Amino acid sequence: MKRSKIKVGIIGANGYAGAEVLWLTANHPHVELTAVTSRAHKGKRVADVFPALPCDLVYTDADDKALANCDIVFVALPQTAGAEIVGRLIDAGVRVIDLSADYRFDDVAVYERTYSVKHPRPDLCDIAVYGLCEQNRDAIRTAKLVANPGCYVTSVLLPMLPLCKAGLATDIIADSKSGVSGAGRKSDEAYGFCALDENFKAYGIFGHRHAPEMSEKLGAPIIFTPHLLPVKRGILSTIYFNTPDPAEAKRVLENAYPDEPFAAYGQELPELSFVAHTNRCIFSARFSDGRGIVVSVLDNLLKGAAGQAVQNMNIMAGLNETAGLPLYAPV
Amino acid sequence: MKRSKIKVGIIGANGYAGAEVLWLTANHPHVELTAVTSRAHKGKRVADVFPALPCDLVYTDADDKALANCDIVFVALPQTAGAEIVGRLIDAGVRVIDLSADYRFDDVAVYERTYSVKHPRPDLCDIAVYGLCEQNRDAIRTAKLVANPGCYVTSVLLPMLPLCKAGLATDIIADSKSGVSGAGRKSDEAYGFCALDENFKAYGIFGHRHAPEMSEKLGAPIIFTPHLLPVKRGILSTIYFNTPDPAEAKRVLENAYPDEPFAAYGQELPELSFVAHTNRCIFSARFSDGRGIVVSVLDNLLKGAAGQAVQNMNIMAGLNETAGLPLYAPV
Amino acid sequence: MKRSKIKVGIIGANGYAGAEVLWLTANHPHVELTAVTSRAHKGKRVADVFPALPCDLVYTDADDKALANCDIVFVALPQTAGAEIVGRLIDAGVRVIDLSADYRFDDVAVYERTYSVKHPRPDLCDIAVYGLCEQNRDAIRTAKLVANPGCYVTSVLLPMLPLCKAGLATDIIADSKSGVSGAGRKSDEAYGFCALDENFKAYGIFGHRHAPEMSEKLGAPIIFTPHLLPVKRGILSTIYFNTPDPAEAKRVLENAYPDEPFAAYGQELPELSFVAHTNRCIFSARFSDGRGIVVSVLDNLLKGAAGQAVQNMNIMAGLNETAGLPLYAPV
Amino acid sequence: MKRSKIKVGIIGANGYAGAEVLWLTANHPHVELTAVTSRAHKGKRVADVFPALPCDLVYTDADDKALANCDIVFVALPQTAGAEIVGRLIDAGVRVIDLSADYRFDDVAVYERTYSVKHPRPDLCDIAVYGLCEQNRDAIRTAKLVANPGCYVTSVLLPMLPLCKAGLATDIIADSKSGVSGAGRKSDEAYGFCALDENFKAYGIFGHRHAPEMSEKLGAPIIFTPHLLPVKRGILSTIYFNTPDPAEAKRVLENAYPDEPFAAYGQELPELSFVAHTNRCIFSARFSDGRGIVVSVLDNLLKGAAGQAVQNMNIMAGLNETAGLPLYAPV
């Protein structure tokens, strides 16, 4: 039986994450791209912006009526900019995968404090499902609104959630390092080649917006320090914690994702190159004297954003979860 | 009708080009990987070397009997090292795609002078087809032995062959710049990060082995200067020539590959990032006062090596020419 | 006898070249920094912008009266922006080293055509000395106004001027590759890390502003193609030409700068790393069948801009020509 | 009064640290380079290896008699390889600055356990002075043997020693990231450009040799995790600790090095680019809820190795401590 394709829209397809969703879905065997919006490119043909992309659409804007005919719409707008658009789509009966932080929090007050805004649609926070695929698969299947997790957050939650649920980790510190695409598309000297090549820095100490998202999902406080790596893609998190039972903690980590294509424990300490251009998160752990250290890596634009979003789409649409998701990672 | 898969072997699967063939074929919808050899990894499971790769094989060596049962074998050994192995496979009735230079030359004497060796199987040079897909597609379809073109060479031939055939280019100079993976897998301080990052150099002036290959295929002399870029993947060739008819030269270039998925003229000057991680070669041209300048880009491991090799396999096996070949090139 | 220090001003000290002049002069044993201007930093202490810099000044603007008390003022403003300021300083009896193109041309008409402006002070073009130190040292010594050469131009002129003067080079093509700092300080996505890392491109084909400067100084036409390298500093020019006497051409190049600290022929093909963070231009040559290829390298911010400017200052002030100029180039 | 120059030798001048000492001392106003040894370059002229370096010497080997005539000899050999050579020089009355770990430990047993060797000259460990200039200046002045601190160690000790001495830091974790030159000159695919560019990784978790050196000097246990950055030079350490008095800890850090040219507290979070190509260590701190985070940066080849070694030489010889040490850090 030949299955019909699902109709997909993308709002905000010019940002790095949105463009990555565009590439993935345009090459996806079970997707019919139906509407692609971008204020920067409105009126241009997608094929003129990306000549290699097999797509006949013209960029429109978020008012595009075709969005209402989609089965699923990806919303890849900056934090708070898309919250109302998401609401209108949901109201119109369209399922949405939101790549922003707007619907990630169970506690709206934490969201409002973290992003210094009033949430326009707190009513939808209750129906939103947190799209960490390997942990929430059942809820995602039938979700109307999936809140796609943050990139740093995914690198921390996949290894640490199983430990925290088992009461095996306290005093957690996540020292995370991200590639430059994590900051989004920027016209800013601070993100220029001359500013960043051969450079490295910490930022947002004790104040980054991903820390409250981690804490809420882990159910535990966490110290989180992000750093900016001179690479285009990838996140590596070095996670320190105390554990009452190192042997059991190791066992839990090794058995956390036995059959998952996109999450895996590895004996070897993982490097960015193990996962660049793939949708995988790989982690390993070392223990000594009641202290544990987990090293976790993923591609911030794939498993950390667009890849996980498409994985969520596959789950929502009842497709093979790996459909259209690259596992390509040579040199 | 469900078509049966073609049985594929890879000899020399640890080099960059061989490993790239491995990734492409392991993810190819119509390939059944049957034998994978590597002296470095003999006895190891492929999945232990590349955990993300969907492949159950164990690396063997070039004596592996399973190679004789393959429909097509890729040979990715260093120049001259695999010439006899290729011969034995052909003798056994296996079709071969050779990624080395051993069978690329029409004139064996030029090969022997260029590589300072005696060719062990000059008899096969006559049946070998030069695997520049867009130019030799018909001969490739039925070829027993395909000699996959050099990476630098492909970047020059795709734009310049149509011009030379039309008598529209003389006094050709190709100033080419390649990423580091073009040098192959190396344990050599000269290819170390500290030696190459923030560095750039020319090499092989008036003496690089790709110049005779270009000259023979173009039917014209060429000055070729390779340079080493501090990037992992990609070749950009800036090609200077005199032309008696710039307008006609431009027309020929624009119309050289109208319907090709993997070769295209673009109005915009192409950059490495337009083609990295894709199998495409894109070129553009500018003219002034009887002088022409072509800028041509490709990914040296894909269209310049493994990608073109798989494209050749698709042609030889009667598959869709784009099957299994990535068109993925965001950030 | 203890010599008194020369009083120096810098106009436009926030651009890459201006900031490099600032660093060099602040650490120069015979310079007393007297005025430093920057619109971006006006009112800030230099030491707050560059904590490591031994300088007590506050950034002012180009109206700063202290400039009139300087012995020598460096003007590092964008093309055409500083031409009148230079004029006023000269009128006030201050010697000027201008890092822009405004006073580089003998033929004002070529300048006006190249930069699409009317020159505000054509009268000064006659007294301006072209500051290619190794070629014009005598005139520089007593110059009131030195026009500091372009970065690409210096890399081409130092090897090619001796050849052209001797009638040993025709049909010249310069294929040049520059680090990103050559574009100046930019807030532009096109110069962002994600746009340029792992990327490479040609630009300005048949139309770059440095070509007319090269042609005028060489007294010969030249085809010049600039490219953008993913490195912060450095220019490598690969220069093709015909020569009637290769042996003599080689001899001329080898003997062009026998005793110069900052210009030298080397037997080995030079790499960017040979000259990064130094004021040296190094070049080598290869010949075959009446064709010559020169490879020339320099640091675009030092010998290509600020370093040559300080070298000019040393000559103008009768100092040791190497004073305050780094020769530091390890890893 | 014109002071006479000090006679200096360098053993192991081909490694990155040794070559950096060579550049610094060859350009040092008060040094007469007397002997330079390298097994790799023995018999070659220094000027042939580094054409830009003002040095007439020929590389010899460690038996060179001229070493005995030096006032001070730098020994830059791998750990344990130079311990006996250091001993013979000291026995001959030559003062030594050893860049290896051999004489850094107060407790020889810790050294022997950490490096899995028997110390050949434990007698000298008592007279060796740990060359952390800003902390041990008085002892260094008259030292016969200075053990130059490790690169990672210096980045941690300069901020943390004042805190630990004041009892203001416990439960210390140092998450450190180093440029590739920290691994030394290597012919190893693992340090190749293709292996490291766009990559990042942790290594040596719970087992790196710098942890015991940090612990001994701090007088406190420390968890230390090194990482490998895709940059050539620089270390950034993110240091986590508990403190009973954050306000006092901040005050101690701000006042730790008020008049030091090469160590400073800065309000802004420091980046690698603040210190690359300089001899400075800069650090800043943030506090929240009894937790402190220090970010500390230095250039691993300068303040982390050769620069601090020359600073030690300046102290030992009674010179201005900044003589010959670059403060050059633009783009």
PDB file of all heavy atoms in Angstrom, chain A residues 16 20 23 197-198 233 277 327-331, chain B residues 16 20 23 197-198 233 277 327-331:
ATOM      1  N   TYR A  16      18.756  29.304  11.108  1.00  0.00           N
ATOM      2  CA  TYR A  16      19.510  28.056  10.920  1.00  0.00           C
ATOM      3  C   TYR A  16      18.631  26.835  11.180  1.00  0.00           C
ATOM      4  O   TYR A  16      18.647  25.873  10.420  1.00  0.00           O
ATOM      5  CB  TYR A  16      20.727  28.015  11.840  1.00  0.00           C
ATOM      6  CG  TYR A  16      21.834  28.930  11.418  1.00  0.00           C
ATOM      7  CD1 TYR A  16      22.548  29.666  12.356  1.00  0.00           C
ATOM      8  CD2 TYR A  16      22.207  29.051  10.087  1.00  0.00           C
ATOM      9  CE1 TYR A  16      23.580  30.509  11.974  1.00  0.00           C
ATOM     10  CE2 TYR A  16      23.237  29.889   9.695  1.00  0.00           C
ATOM     11  CZ  TYR A  16      23.921  30.616  10.643  1.00  0.00           C
ATOM     12  OH  TYR A  16      24.950  31.430  10.275  1.00  0.00           O
ATOM     13  N   GLU A  20      17.272  24.177   8.385  1.00  0.00           N
ATOM     14  CA  GLU A  20      17.613  22.757   8.529  1.00  0.00           C
ATOM     15  C   GLU A  20      16.348  21.894   8.450  1.00  0.00           C
ATOM     16  O   GLU A  20      16.360  20.829   7.831  1.00  0.00           O
ATOM     17  CB  GLU A  20      18.337  22.552   9.871  1.00  0.00           C
ATOM     18  CG  GLU A  20      19.082  21.258   9.992  1.00  0.00           C
ATOM     19  CD  GLU A  20      20.559  21.361   9.615  1.00  0.00           C
ATOM     20  OE1 GLU A  20      21.022  22.438   9.176  1.00  0.00           O
ATOM     21  OE2 GLU A  20      21.261  20.345   9.760  1.00  0.00           O
ATOM     22  N   TRP A  23      15.557  21.640   4.727  1.00  0.00           N
ATOM     23  CA  TRP A  23      16.359  20.636   4.027  1.00  0.00           C
ATOM     24  C   TRP A  23      15.890  19.221   4.346  1.00  0.00           C
ATOM     25  O   TRP A  23      15.767  18.375   3.460  1.00  0.00           O
ATOM     26  CB  TRP A  23      17.841  20.783   4.397  1.00  0.00           C
ATOM     27  CG  TRP A  23      18.531  21.819   3.592  1.00  0.00           C
ATOM     28  CD1 TRP A  23      18.582  23.156   3.858  1.00  0.00           C
ATOM     29  CD2 TRP A  23      19.237  21.628   2.368  1.00  0.00           C
ATOM     30  NE1 TRP A  23      19.288  23.801   2.882  1.00  0.00           N
ATOM     31  CE2 TRP A  23      19.710  22.896   1.958  1.00  0.00           C
ATOM     32  CE3 TRP A  23      19.530  20.515   1.582  1.00  0.00           C
ATOM     33  CZ2 TRP A  23      20.448  23.072   0.791  1.00  0.00           C
ATOM     34  CZ3 TRP A  23      20.258  20.683   0.424  1.00  0.00           C
ATOM     35  CH2 TRP A  23      20.714  21.963   0.032  1.00  0.00           C
ATOM     36  N   ASP A 197      37.274  32.863  15.360  1.00  0.00           N
ATOM     37  CA  ASP A 197      38.255  31.842  14.990  1.00  0.00           C
ATOM     38  C   ASP A 197      39.445  31.932  15.941  1.00  0.00           C
ATOM     39  O   ASP A 197      39.879  33.031  16.313  1.00  0.00           O
ATOM     40  CB  ASP A 197      38.725  32.047  13.547  1.00  0.00           C
ATOM     41  CG  ASP A 197      39.429  30.803  13.031  1.00  0.00           C
ATOM     42  OD1 ASP A 197      38.895  29.697  13.201  1.00  0.00           O
ATOM     43  OD2 ASP A 197      40.531  30.944  12.470  1.00  0.00           O
ATOM     44  N   GLU A 198      39.965  30.788  16.344  1.00  0.00           N
ATOM     45  CA  GLU A 198      41.071  30.736  17.316  1.00  0.00           C
ATOM     46  C   GLU A 198      40.682  31.357  18.654  1.00  0.00           C
ATOM     47  O   GLU A 198      41.550  31.707  19.454  1.00  0.00           O
ATOM     48  CB  GLU A 198      42.331  31.434  16.779  1.00  0.00           C
ATOM     49  CG  GLU A 198      42.939  30.764  15.572  1.00  0.00           C
ATOM     50  CD  GLU A 198      43.682  29.498  15.930  1.00  0.00           C
ATOM     51  OE1 GLU A 198      44.510  29.532  16.847  1.00  0.00           O
ATOM     52  OE2 GLU A 198      43.412  28.453  15.290  1.00  0.00           O
ATOM     53  N   ARG A 233      29.026  23.555  14.119  1.00  0.00           N
ATOM     54  CA  ARG A 233      27.939  22.723  14.649  1.00  0.00           C
ATOM     55  C   ARG A 233      28.433  21.866  15.790  1.00  0.00           C
ATOM     56  O   ARG A 233      29.550  21.372  15.760  1.00  0.00           O
ATOM     57  CB  ARG A 233      27.432  21.786  13.562  1.00  0.00           C
ATOM     58  CG  ARG A 233      27.025  22.438  12.281  1.00  0.00           C
ATOM     59  CD  ARG A 233      26.819  21.390  11.199  1.00  0.00           C
ATOM     60  NE  ARG A 233      25.598  20.679  11.414  1.00  0.00           N
ATOM     61  CZ  ARG A 233      24.498  20.803  10.658  1.00  0.00           C
ATOM     62  NH1 ARG A 233      24.498  21.579   9.597  1.00  0.00           N
ATOM     63  NH2 ARG A 233      23.411  20.148  10.935  1.00  0.00           N
ATOM     64  N   HIS A 277      26.396  16.295  11.802  1.00  0.00           N
ATOM     65  CA  HIS A 277      25.588  15.925  10.639  1.00  0.00           C
ATOM     66  C   HIS A 277      24.783  14.647  10.851  1.00  0.00           C
ATOM     67  O   HIS A 277      24.395  14.002   9.884  1.00  0.00           O
ATOM     68  CB  HIS A 277      26.460  15.814   9.375  1.00  0.00           C
ATOM     69  CG  HIS A 277      27.070  17.111   8.969  1.00  0.00           C
ATOM     70  ND1 HIS A 277      26.378  18.089   8.298  1.00  0.00           N
ATOM     71  CD2 HIS A 277      28.299  17.626   9.173  1.00  0.00           C
ATOM     72  CE1 HIS A 277      27.154  19.128   8.104  1.00  0.00           C
ATOM     73  NE2 HIS A 277      28.327  18.893   8.622  1.00  0.00           N
ATOM     74  N   LEU A 327      22.131   9.798   8.982  1.00  0.00           N
ATOM     75  CA  LEU A 327      23.062   9.133   9.892  1.00  0.00           C
ATOM     76  C   LEU A 327      24.452   9.199   9.267  1.00  0.00           C
ATOM     77  O   LEU A 327      25.226   8.262   9.315  1.00  0.00           O
ATOM     78  CB  LEU A 327      22.648   7.680  10.106  1.00  0.00           C
ATOM     79  CG  LEU A 327      21.488   7.478  11.073  1.00  0.00           C
ATOM     80  CD1 LEU A 327      20.968   6.068  11.004  1.00  0.00           C
ATOM     81  CD2 LEU A 327      21.948   7.789  12.493  1.00  0.00           C
ATOM     82  N   TYR A 328      24.736  10.324   8.668  1.00  0.00           N
ATOM     83  CA  TYR A 328      25.923  10.458   7.836  1.00  0.00           C
ATOM     84  C   TYR A 328      26.986  11.257   8.578  1.00  0.00           C
ATOM     85  O   TYR A 328      26.791  12.426   8.867  1.00  0.00           O
ATOM     86  CB  TYR A 328      25.491  11.169   6.552  1.00  0.00           C
ATOM     87  CG  TYR A 328      26.579  11.626   5.635  1.00  0.00           C
ATOM     88  CD1 TYR A 328      27.300  10.704   4.881  1.00  0.00           C
ATOM     89  CD2 TYR A 328      26.868  12.975   5.512  1.00  0.00           C
ATOM     90  CE1 TYR A 328      28.284  11.139   4.014  1.00  0.00           C
ATOM     91  CE2 TYR A 328      27.852  13.410   4.650  1.00  0.00           C
ATOM     92  CZ  TYR A 328      28.552  12.490   3.902  1.00  0.00           C
ATOM     93  OH  TYR A 328      29.528  12.923   3.043  1.00  0.00           O
ATOM     94  N   ALA A 329      28.081  10.619   8.947  1.00  0.00           N
ATOM     95  CA  ALA A 329      29.083  11.339   9.732  1.00  0.00           C
ATOM     96  C   ALA A 329      30.517  10.929   9.463  1.00  0.00           C
ATOM     97  O   ALA A 329      31.255  10.585  10.367  1.00  0.00           O
ATOM     98  CB  ALA A 329      28.785  11.167  11.215  1.00  0.00           C
ATOM     99  N   PRO A 330      30.956  10.904   8.221  1.00  0.00           N
ATOM    100  CA  PRO A 330      32.387  10.672   7.991  1.00  0.00           C
ATOM    101  C   PRO A 330      33.149  11.981   8.272  1.00  0.00           C
ATOM    102  O   PRO A 330      32.646  12.835   9.012  1.00  0.00           O
ATOM    103  CB  PRO A 330      32.457  10.291   6.519  1.00  0.00           C
ATOM    104  CG  PRO A 330      31.074  10.448   5.963  1.00  0.00           C
ATOM    105  CD  PRO A 330      30.240  11.149   6.975  1.00  0.00           C
ATOM    106  N   VAL A 331      34.295  12.129   7.715  1.00  0.00           N
ATOM    107  CA  VAL A 331      35.154  13.309   7.943  1.00  0.00           C
ATOM    108  C   VAL A 331      34.355  14.598   7.996  1.00  0.00           C
ATOM    109  O   VAL A 331      33.651  14.917   7.065  1.00  0.00           O
ATOM    110  CB  VAL A 331      36.173  13.442   6.787  1.00  0.00           C
ATOM    111  CG1 VAL A 331      37.034  14.669   7.017  1.00  0.00           C
ATOM    112  CG2 VAL A 331      37.010  12.204   6.687  1.00  0.00           C
TER     113      VAL A 331
ATOM    114  N   TYR B  16      39.956   7.951   3.477  1.00  0.00           N
ATOM    115  CA  TYR B  16      38.818   8.870   3.487  1.00  0.00           C
ATOM    116  C   TYR B  16      37.815   8.544   2.383  1.00  0.00           C
ATOM    117  O   TYR B  16      36.609   8.526   2.603  1.00  0.00           O
ATOM    118  CB  TYR B  16      39.286  10.316   3.341  1.00  0.00           C
ATOM    119  CG  TYR B  16      39.958  10.874   4.570  1.00  0.00           C
ATOM    120  CD1 TYR B  16      41.093  11.663   4.474  1.00  0.00           C
ATOM    121  CD2 TYR B  16      39.442  10.625   5.838  1.00  0.00           C
ATOM    122  CE1 TYR B  16      41.696  12.190   5.599  1.00  0.00           C
ATOM    123  CE2 TYR B  16      40.036  11.139   6.971  1.00  0.00           C
ATOM    124  CZ  TYR B  16      41.167  11.927   6.850  1.00  0.00           C
ATOM    125  OH  TYR B  16      41.767  12.442   7.965  1.00  0.00           O
ATOM    126  N   GLU B  20      34.069   6.975   2.867  1.00  0.00           N
ATOM    127  CA  GLU B  20      32.909   7.725   2.357  1.00  0.00           C
ATOM    128  C   GLU B  20      32.055   6.822   1.463  1.00  0.00           C
ATOM    129  O   GLU B  20      30.820   6.875   1.524  1.00  0.00           O
ATOM    130  CB  GLU B  20      33.418   8.943   1.574  1.00  0.00           C
ATOM    131  CG  GLU B  20      32.389  10.002   1.322  1.00  0.00           C
ATOM    132  CD  GLU B  20      32.386  11.116   2.364  1.00  0.00           C
ATOM    133  OE1 GLU B  20      33.165  11.053   3.345  1.00  0.00           O
ATOM    134  OE2 GLU B  20      31.592  12.056   2.207  1.00  0.00           O
ATOM    135  N   TRP B  23      29.999   4.709   3.893  1.00  0.00           N
ATOM    136  CA  TRP B  23      28.827   5.405   4.439  1.00  0.00           C
ATOM    137  C   TRP B  23      27.719   5.520   3.397  1.00  0.00           C
ATOM    138  O   TRP B  23      26.541   5.311   3.688  1.00  0.00           O
ATOM    139  CB  TRP B  23      29.232   6.813   4.911  1.00  0.00           C
ATOM    140  CG  TRP B  23      29.801   6.802   6.287  1.00  0.00           C
ATOM    141  CD1 TRP B  23      31.094   6.586   6.642  1.00  0.00           C
ATOM    142  CD2 TRP B  23      29.075   6.990   7.517  1.00  0.00           C
ATOM    143  NE1 TRP B  23      31.231   6.628   8.002  1.00  0.00           N
ATOM    144  CE2 TRP B  23      30.012   6.880   8.564  1.00  0.00           C
ATOM    145  CE3 TRP B  23      27.744   7.233   7.823  1.00  0.00           C
ATOM    146  CZ2 TRP B  23      29.647   7.008   9.903  1.00  0.00           C
ATOM    147  CZ3 TRP B  23      27.377   7.369   9.153  1.00  0.00           C
ATOM    148  CH2 TRP B  23      28.321   7.250  10.180  1.00  0.00           C
ATOM    149  N   ASP B 197      46.105  24.897  10.450  1.00  0.00           N
ATOM    150  CA  ASP B 197      45.093  25.888  10.807  1.00  0.00           C
ATOM    151  C   ASP B 197      45.698  27.280  10.665  1.00  0.00           C
ATOM    152  O   ASP B 197      46.858  27.510  11.017  1.00  0.00           O
ATOM    153  CB  ASP B 197      44.611  25.663  12.237  1.00  0.00           C
ATOM    154  CG  ASP B 197      43.317  26.416  12.495  1.00  0.00           C
ATOM    155  OD1 ASP B 197      42.401  26.318  11.661  1.00  0.00           O
ATOM    156  OD2 ASP B 197      43.226  27.110  13.514  1.00  0.00           O
ATOM    157  N   GLU B 198      44.926  28.207  10.149  1.00  0.00           N
ATOM    158  CA  GLU B 198      45.404  29.577   9.901  1.00  0.00           C
ATOM    159  C   GLU B 198      46.576  29.598   8.909  1.00  0.00           C
ATOM    160  O   GLU B 198      47.328  30.572   8.855  1.00  0.00           O
ATOM    161  CB  GLU B 198      45.826  30.278  11.205  1.00  0.00           C
ATOM    162  CG  GLU B 198      44.706  30.494  12.178  1.00  0.00           C
ATOM    163  CD  GLU B 198      43.781  31.629  11.753  1.00  0.00           C
ATOM    164  OE1 GLU B 198      44.295  32.710  11.435  1.00  0.00           O
ATOM    165  OE2 GLU B 198      42.554  31.427  11.728  1.00  0.00           O
ATOM    166  N   ARG B 233      36.917  19.701   3.743  1.00  0.00           N
ATOM    167  CA  ARG B 233      36.379  19.191   2.488  1.00  0.00           C
ATOM    168  C   ARG B 233      36.207  20.316   1.487  1.00  0.00           C
ATOM    169  O   ARG B 233      35.823  21.411   1.855  1.00  0.00           O
ATOM    170  CB  ARG B 233      35.010  18.566   2.714  1.00  0.00           C
ATOM    171  CG  ARG B 233      34.949  17.535   3.784  1.00  0.00           C
ATOM    172  CD  ARG B 233      33.505  17.201   4.117  1.00  0.00           C
ATOM    173  NE  ARG B 233      32.922  16.410   3.065  1.00  0.00           N
ATOM    174  CZ  ARG B 233      32.596  15.119   3.193  1.00  0.00           C
ATOM    175  NH1 ARG B 233      32.744  14.496   4.329  1.00  0.00           N
ATOM    176  NH2 ARG B 233      32.111  14.462   2.180  1.00  0.00           N
ATOM    177  N   HIS B 277      29.323  18.474   1.426  1.00  0.00           N
ATOM    178  CA  HIS B 277      28.396  17.409   1.808  1.00  0.00           C
ATOM    179  C   HIS B 277      27.335  17.138   0.735  1.00  0.00           C
ATOM    180  O   HIS B 277      26.283  16.582   1.045  1.00  0.00           O
ATOM    181  CB  HIS B 277      27.733  17.705   3.160  1.00  0.00           C
ATOM    182  CG  HIS B 277      28.712  17.717   4.296  1.00  0.00           C
ATOM    183  ND1 HIS B 277      29.186  16.568   4.868  1.00  0.00           N
ATOM    184  CD2 HIS B 277      29.330  18.741   4.925  1.00  0.00           C
ATOM    185  CE1 HIS B 277      30.043  16.885   5.821  1.00  0.00           C
ATOM    186  NE2 HIS B 277      30.154  18.193   5.873  1.00  0.00           N
ATOM    187  N   LEU B 327      22.034  15.405  -0.993  1.00  0.00           N
ATOM    188  CA  LEU B 327      21.932  16.761  -1.530  1.00  0.00           C
ATOM    189  C   LEU B 327      21.764  17.712  -0.353  1.00  0.00           C
ATOM    190  O   LEU B 327      21.011  18.660  -0.396  1.00  0.00           O
ATOM    191  CB  LEU B 327      20.732  16.867  -2.469  1.00  0.00           C
ATOM    192  CG  LEU B 327      20.958  16.278  -3.848  1.00  0.00           C
ATOM    193  CD1 LEU B 327      19.668  16.178  -4.608  1.00  0.00           C
ATOM    194  CD2 LEU B 327      21.951  17.144  -4.619  1.00  0.00           C
ATOM    195  N   TYR B 328      22.483  17.418   0.697  1.00  0.00           N
ATOM    196  CA  TYR B 328      22.272  18.082   1.970  1.00  0.00           C
ATOM    197  C   TYR B 328      23.385  19.091   2.209  1.00  0.00           C
ATOM    198  O   TYR B 328      24.535  18.721   2.370  1.00  0.00           O
ATOM    199  CB  TYR B 328      22.264  16.999   3.049  1.00  0.00           C
ATOM    200  CG  TYR B 328      22.274  17.470   4.468  1.00  0.00           C
ATOM    201  CD1 TYR B 328      21.141  18.040   5.030  1.00  0.00           C
ATOM    202  CD2 TYR B 328      23.403  17.298   5.250  1.00  0.00           C
ATOM    203  CE1 TYR B 328      21.144  18.437   6.352  1.00  0.00           C
ATOM    204  CE2 TYR B 328      23.407  17.701   6.565  1.00  0.00           C
ATOM    205  CZ  TYR B 328      22.279  18.270   7.119  1.00  0.00           C
ATOM    206  OH  TYR B 328      22.294  18.664   8.413  1.00  0.00           O
ATOM    207  N   ALA B 329      23.070  20.381   2.190  1.00  0.00           N
ATOM    208  CA  ALA B 329      24.130  21.383   2.338  1.00  0.00           C
ATOM    209  C   ALA B 329      23.694  22.643   3.071  1.00  0.00           C
ATOM    210  O   ALA B 329      23.859  23.728   2.574  1.00  0.00           O
ATOM    211  CB  ALA B 329      24.666  21.755   0.962  1.00  0.00           C
ATOM    212  N   PRO B 330      23.130  22.527   4.255  1.00  0.00           N
ATOM    213  CA  PRO B 330      22.891  23.751   5.028  1.00  0.00           C
ATOM    214  C   PRO B 330      24.214  24.187   5.684  1.00  0.00           C
ATOM    215  O   PRO B 330      25.285  23.846   5.183  1.00  0.00           O
ATOM    216  CB  PRO B 330      21.876  23.318   6.074  1.00  0.00           C
ATOM    217  CG  PRO B 330      21.660  21.845   5.886  1.00  0.00           C
ATOM    218  CD  PRO B 330      22.719  21.334   4.977  1.00  0.00           C
ATOM    219  N   VAL B 331      24.122  24.917   6.747  1.00  0.00           N
ATOM    220  CA  VAL B 331      25.318  25.447   7.442  1.00  0.00           C
ATOM    221  C   VAL B 331      26.456  24.446   7.475  1.00  0.00           C
ATOM    222  O   VAL B 331      26.295  23.361   7.998  1.00  0.00           O
ATOM    223  CB  VAL B 331      24.957  25.806   8.899  1.00  0.00           C
ATOM    224  CG1 VAL B 331      26.186  26.331   9.612  1.00  0.00           C
ATOM    225  CG2 VAL B 331      23.856  26.821   8.933  1.00  0.00           C
TER     226      VAL B 331
END
